[in-house]
Amino acid sequence: MDELRPRPPNSYALTPVGFLDRAATVYGDCPSIIYNDISYTWSQTHSRCLQLASSLSSIGINKGHVVSVIAPNIPAMYELHFAVPMAGAILNTLNTRLDARTISLLLCHAESKLLFVDPMYVSLVHEAISLFPPNTKHPPLVLIADDEVVSQQSSPTIHFYDTYESLVEKGDPAFNWIRPKNDFDPIALNYTSGTTASPKGVVHCHRGLFIVTLDSLIDWSFPKQPVFLWTLPMFHSNGWSYPWGMAAVGGTNICIRKFDAPTIYGLIEKHRVTHMCGAPVVLNMLSNSPTIIKPLKNPVHIITAGAPPPATILSRTESLGFVVGHGYGLTETGGIVVSCAWKRQWSLFPATERARLKARQGVRTVGMNEVDVVDPITGTSVKRDGSTLGEIVLRGGCIMLGYLKDPVATAKCMTENGWFYTGDVGVMHPDGYLEIKDRSKDVIISGGENLSSVEVESVLYTFPDINEAAVVARPDEFWGETPCAFVTLKEACCKSTTEKEIIEYCRARLPHYMVPKTVVVTEELPKTATGKIQKALLRDMAKDMGSSRVSRM
Amino acid sequence: MDELRPRPPNSYALTPVGFLDRAATVYGDCPSIIYNDISYTWSQTHSRCLQLASSLSSIGINKGHVVSVIAPNIPAMYELHFAVPMAGAILNTLNTRLDARTISLLLCHAESKLLFVDPMYVSLVHEAISLFPPNTKHPPLVLIADDEVVSQQSSPTIHFYDTYESLVEKGDPAFNWIRPKNDFDPIALNYTSGTTASPKGVVHCHRGLFIVTLDSLIDWSFPKQPVFLWTLPMFHSNGWSYPWGMAAVGGTNICIRKFDAPTIYGLIEKHRVTHMCGAPVVLNMLSNSPTIIKPLKNPVHIITAGAPPPATILSRTESLGFVVGHGYGLTETGGIVVSCAWKRQWSLFPATERARLKARQGVRTVGMNEVDVVDPITGTSVKRDGSTLGEIVLRGGCIMLGYLKDPVATAKCMTENGWFYTGDVGVMHPDGYLEIKDRSKDVIISGGENLSSVEVESVLYTFPDINEAAVVARPDEFWGETPCAFVTLKEACCKSTTEKEIIEYCRARLPHYMVPKTVVVTEELPKTATGKIQKALLRDMAKDMGSSRVSRM
């Protein structure tokens, strides 16, 4: 057997980029992208991506170069997921909600060679490049034209190297795209959302995103030619790799610049949407909307991840006709790698029990090698009792190569014992399903007891008047830390709910040490661009409060 | 970027074996295997495979060892697909229709360390080991117990080391199975069916079969928990990798020892079968059966490959309620890698046109890198005109490592230019779909013209009384070669059809040089165990005929 080694025909690099060539053959006449009045076929998308890749090559973009983009879910954003790697380069999508200072830092850190800018963000980019260190050249800018939004460019000092459409037009549709040399060539650079620390540059390779893309199609049993509504920002971990996945199954991508509940319901009906993704905040928006007058005509599959969804929101959304799947992934995994694989017999359970089961993150997807919850000190698996907290660890082909220019952070989580340490705290249930209890940094230690903020939140979410809730640690001279809850109330309710009522409600349902000692009723909770509540900010606020008291902001 | 290299968490070897661990968690209580009155759950299958792997380890089966099995599609055959690689070893399934001499040769060539034997094949194995070269030890034998078939062992000289069930019982269900060290560790050794030459030992690696398993699930849009009827022999290219695929989606494997049309229809109804695979001969059996009295209650997806299916058989099968998918693969690709991806608009075409389109092999699956049809001399792509013949070439992660102990044959087809040469001759249609015209060796060269035997056969299949047809070259002093047709007639017909009528029928429908100069009406065509017509044998018969004449056997 020993003479049998990999050879060129079987060791060609795995890559999700080639899905586009195939889509042009199989689905050439079928819609690839629909955006307002614009509609492309897979043939057109194929040609446009090759043209853009050809132009990128001809202006000097090369293997290993980083190409950045700041844009919402418009067609150009989708095309760049193919065109940039087709030029051999690395795609870096930037979160549109970042401030100018952070964008400036990220562009410098990534050493971007080119920056595509949506008209909406011209001022932001202008400010960002003004913050570049002296004598540092910023990347040339390319303006993405858009009929919907006219450039907000007011400053005469900003110079665009070219426009997106002009680069497409100039390119050669017969361009022989540049394939990765091996499985581990980088394809994407994604900065983490920074809920707990400063953004880190996650680098993924072609093999990793090939695996997670196929894995996600199997895990959610995608049919051929689904209609996919882009409610999940593509800048968020490359839209969980679904831009490539839709090319693999010839789906129709419904692009949208921004959305609210009526927009989503309108598009679902207009385009017969079959699939969408989003953080639990999207589910909340859909199920709390007063515009809903009738349930969905056809079931819409919605995959949620990014935060543990409260059971009440899950059951409300399902009652409207959405088929909710719940999974778990990180920027570092390129997509969803743990999912709540549903058992047939569970469908017979009462709604609250179904929701409780579905709120668990679940089991590894088939493409992942292993998942476990381990004791952070000893590294051994925790008891499968559903209550012993441990750190969630993963191994599998879709785990990132590492953090850009941060060997210390990379080595810390990508260990030689073969596990990737997620920094998420969870439990393993007796049936082998894991449930996230918290980010490591969100665990509250009160009187020596480790308590999960998420567990307190899930009780708060069952309080009828509460819309959203987040619990963080508040320093306490006696206990070390105590739970502090920030909540918003539903519009429909009269807002007479008092903090005291909320505390009493929790007392009846939680062990004493888990009951929030502080409750803050507020108008809005601070969130990241992807809808995650920014607990770091709330923690700072709790810290600034000083001693225990009940307050209204 | 350069400091970012593969690390243990992301470069763990890809393997399809781990799907079983996950199936035990997700589908633990659900049926994994049903065989007569035996039924296992995924928990049980998981435990049994670990137990067997543990026993294999304890008796000295190790990394790199070959473990052979000769058995039909019984539960043990399924379990060995996991248990053998879980012991770190390489699974070698043997074709049950081979003769003792060939089996003897293959066991020596493979240097098998252990041979599992179904009761049906005890005499065959006894004869095979009696043919071992003098002073050569044969592998220890393990008898697979089976309630349905009592051992046909008559010879007192054969010694069994142990029985299958005893090895399972003795094993440890908590065995820590031996994972591959890297992507390219071998997992399976499959001998080619030898339609054109002596069997070659195809070696596949874990990465390759991981890829083709996931790829096949996506390509055929497998749902969760399908019911899969094992009409395709698992010894044939590991059942196109579906043993592993069913663990990935938690399917129910309906095992059967042998089958005919009434058996299949009975099992479809009894177990609500959703999916099955088979060579076109299976489709022929299903659609020619006089026992069919009503169409299927629920659609059954049937994937056919292994030979180009005649359009008439395709349309007959579909009219009964089967949803036929047509693909193409080789033992060397571990599963189907080209498939006739169906376009929605084609469903509106008339039945004959639909069948013509579906008879084409199609486009590469998403998991494959590239497929092409090239000129065998220049190596460049042939014209996409649907008529220029060329050799089909492939590149992709599921292509074999190579042929065991045959570096010359390996180097010949696994070229440094990155293509695997299939030895199959095809055309590329203008729409990018390829169609196989022949095996290289089956092309007939008559008067300097290359003619495809399959094309002649497809005309013969439209002749109402013909059941099966195969065309081979017959030596001719003047033309070099001429087409010689071997045909069987349908039972229903009065068998008065003459060779002359058949030749005249062809003359009205084919260019003169393609019309068979010889037609042989026979009772049966020689076939391999997988239902492929053995053209090599027919070619020998044609050679023995001497000069042109019309004969009846």
Side-chain angles (χ1 to χ4, degrees), chain A residues 48-95:
Chain A
R48 287 174 57 84
C49 290
L50 285 170
Q51 285 174 279
L52 184 55
S54 137
S55 281
L56 290 175
S57 269
S58 68
I59 63 175
I61 297 298
N62 254 317
K63 247 188 163 28
H65 287 170
V66 172
V67 173
S68 301
V69 53
I70 183 157
N73 284 349
I74 56 174
M77 184 66 157
Y78 185 85
E79 291 168 346
L80 286 164
H81 277 78
F82 293 92
V84 170
M86 279 175 153
I90 298 158
L91 179 66
N92 168 234
T93 57
L94 293 166
N95 187 325

Side-chain angles (χ1 to χ4, degrees), chain B residues 224-453:
Chain B
K224 298 291 188 318
Q225 298 189 266
V227 180
F228 191 90
L229 177 62
W230 274 104
T231 40
L232 174 73
M234 288 188 226
F235 66 67
H236 184 204
S237 199
N238 298 119
W240 305 347
S241 291
Y242 281 110
W244 298 298
M246 287 308 101
V249 291
T252 304
N253 294 279
I254 311 296
C255 284
I256 40 176
R257 181 168 276 280
K258 58 185 188 294
F259 62 86
D260 52 17
T263 309
I264 293 179
Y265 280 103
L267 290 169
I268 287 174
E269 180 141 353
K270 183 175 177 192
H271 299 295
R272 298 167 180 267
V273 168
T274 60
H275 290 75
M276 54 191 283
C277 296
V281 67
V282 176
L283 273 66
N284 202 12
M285 176 194 280
L286 290 173
S287 59
N288 269 339
S289 164
T291 62
I292 301 155
I293 40 166
K294 50 184 193 291
L296 298 173
K297 277 185 193 157
N298 298 300
V300 175
H301 295 263
I302 179 163
I303 306 167
T304 192
T312 44
I313 291 178
L314 275 178
S315 52
R316 269 211 307 268
T317 316
E318 292 207 324
S319 69
L320 293 167
F322 290 93
V323 181
V324 182
H326 173 217
Y328 162 71
L330 304 96
T331 306
E332 288 86 342
T333 62
I336 294 177
V337 293
V338 170
S339 78
C340 187
W342 196 245
K343 304 194 182 196
R344 276 182 193 162
Q345 63 265 34
W346 290 351
S347 298
L348 305 171
F349 290 174
T352 51
E353 179 66 5
R354 288 204 312 270
R356 188 188 66 77
L357 288 166
K358 192 165 279 184
R360 308 188 307 172
Q361 279 67 26
V363 296
R364 68 177 168 91
T365 54
V366 292
M368 280 295 286
N369 288 62
E370 287 183 272
V371 171
D372 202 3
V373 179
V374 300
D375 184 293
I377 312 288
T378 64
T380 54
S381 305
V382 301
K383 263 195 195 163
R384 286 165 65 141
D385 58 6
S387 64
T388 308
L389 295 179
E391 183 163 356
I392 296 167
V393 291
L394 309 166
R395 53 175 59 131
C398 66
I399 290 166
M400 64 166 182
L401 284 173
Y403 298 116
L404 183 65
K405 301 179 188 169
D406 197 345
V408 174
T410 303
K412 201 178 154 203
C413 65
M414 303 281 284
T415 61
E416 287 306 312
N417 72 10
W419 287 114
F420 165 69
Y421 282 77
T422 63
D424 283 323
V425 172
V427 298
M428 188 64 89
H429 286 276
D431 64 355
Y433 279 53
L434 70 81
E435 185 173 1
I436 294 180
K437 290 297 179 180
D438 236 325
R439 292 287 307 169
S440 302
K441 305 212 169 167
D442 294 337
V443 169
I444 301 164
I445 305 171
S446 189
E449 292 280 3
N450 280 2
L451 80 90
S452 149
S453 61

Side-chain angles (χ1 to χ4, degrees), chain B residues 29-73:
Chain B
D29 298 334
C30 302
S32 53
I33 301 176
I34 296 176
Y35 171 63
N36 296 331
D37 296 332
I38 296 171
S39 173
Y40 294 117
T41 64
W42 281 107
S43 279
Q44 291 172 317
T45 297
H46 184 235
S47 296
R48 287 174 58 84
C49 291
L50 285 171
Q51 285 174 279
L52 184 55
S54 137
S55 281
L56 290 176
S57 270
S58 68
I59 62 175
I61 297 299
N62 254 317
K63 248 192 165 22
H65 287 172
V66 172
V67 173
S68 300
V69 54
I70 182 154
N73 285 347

Side-chain angles (χ1 to χ4, degrees), chain A residues 132-171:
Chain A
F132 263 57
N135 303 321
T136 309
K137 261 175 66 181
H138 69 78
L141 308 177
V142 176
L143 182 69
I144 305 173
D146 191 306
D147 291 343
E148 190 178 337
V149 175
V150 178
S151 167
Q152 295 176 344
Q153 180 184 357
S154 54
S155 160
T157 59
I158 197 161
H159 169 73
F160 284 102
Y161 173 81
D162 208 334
T163 69
Y164 184 87
E165 285 301 323
S166 152
L167 285 181
V168 172
E169 270 166 38
K170 283 182 233 170

Side-chain angles (χ1 to χ4, degrees), chain A residues 122-362:
Chain A
V122 169
S123 309
L124 178 68
V125 165
H126 180 245
E127 196 187 333
I129 59 181
S130 76
L131 295 170
F132 263 57
N135 303 321
T136 309
K137 261 175 66 181
H138 69 78
L141 308 177
V142 176
L143 182 69
I144 305 173
D146 191 306
D147 291 343
E148 190 178 337
V149 175
V150 178
S151 167
Q152 295 176 344
Q153 180 184 357
S154 54
S155 160
T157 59
I158 197 161
H159 169 73
F160 284 102
Y161 173 81
D162 208 334
T163 69
Y164 184 87
E165 285 301 323
S166 152
L167 285 181
V168 172
E169 270 166 38
K170 283 182 233 170
D172 174 10
F175 178 63
N176 198 356
W177 61 273
I178 296 160
R179 290 172 188 272
K181 281 222 173 113
N182 78 65
D183 277 2
F184 294 96
D185 276 5
I187 178 174
L189 166 65
N190 301 314
Y191 286 93
T192 57
S193 58
T195 46
T196 56
S198 64
K200 288 199 284 276
V202 172
V203 179
H204 278 288
C205 65
H206 282 261
R207 174 184 183 265
L209 298 190
F210 171 87
I211 291 170
V212 80
T213 299
L214 295 193
D215 192 22
S216 292
L217 294 174
I218 292 173
D219 205 67
W220 306 99
S221 301
F222 266 79
K224 298 290 189 319
Q225 298 189 267
V227 180
F228 191 91
L229 178 61
W230 273 104
T231 40
L232 173 73
M234 288 189 227
F235 65 68
H236 182 202
S237 198
N238 298 120
W240 305 347
S241 291
Y242 280 109
W244 298 298
M246 287 307 102
V249 290
T252 304
N253 294 280
I254 311 297
C255 285
I256 40 176
R257 181 167 276 282
K258 59 185 189 295
F259 62 86
D260 52 17
T263 310
I264 294 179
Y265 281 102
L267 290 168
I268 287 174
E269 179 141 357
K270 184 175 177 191
H271 299 295
R272 296 166 183 267
V273 168
T274 60
H275 290 75
M276 53 190 284
C277 296
V281 67
V282 175
L283 272 67
N284 203 13
M285 175 195 278
L286 290 173
S287 59
N288 269 339
S289 164
T291 62
I292 301 155
I293 39 167
K294 51 184 191 292
L296 298 174
K297 278 185 194 158
N298 298 300
V300 175
H301 296 262
I302 178 163
I303 305 167
T304 192
T312 44
I313 292 177
L314 276 178
S315 52
R316 269 211 308 268
T317 316
E318 292 208 322
S319 68
L320 294 166
F322 290 93
V323 181
V324 181
H326 173 217
Y328 162 70
L330 303 95
T331 306
E332 287 86 342
T333 62
I336 293 176
V337 293
V338 170
S339 78
C340 187
W342 196 245
K343 305 195 183 198
R344 276 181 192 161
Q345 64 265 35
W346 290 350
S347 298
L348 305 171
F349 291 174
T352 50
E353 180 64 6
R354 289 205 312 271
R356 187 189 66 78
L357 288 167
K358 192 166 278 183
R360 308 187 307 170
Q361 278 67 27

Side-chain angles (χ1 to χ4, degrees), chain A residues 10 22 219 224 364 400, chain B residues 10 22 219 224 364:
Chain A
N10 59 29
R22 185 178 175 276
D219 205 67
K224 298 290 189 319
R364 69 178 168 89
M400 64 167 181
Chain B
N10 58 30
R22 185 178 174 277
D219 205 66
K224 298 291 188 318
R364 68 177 168 91

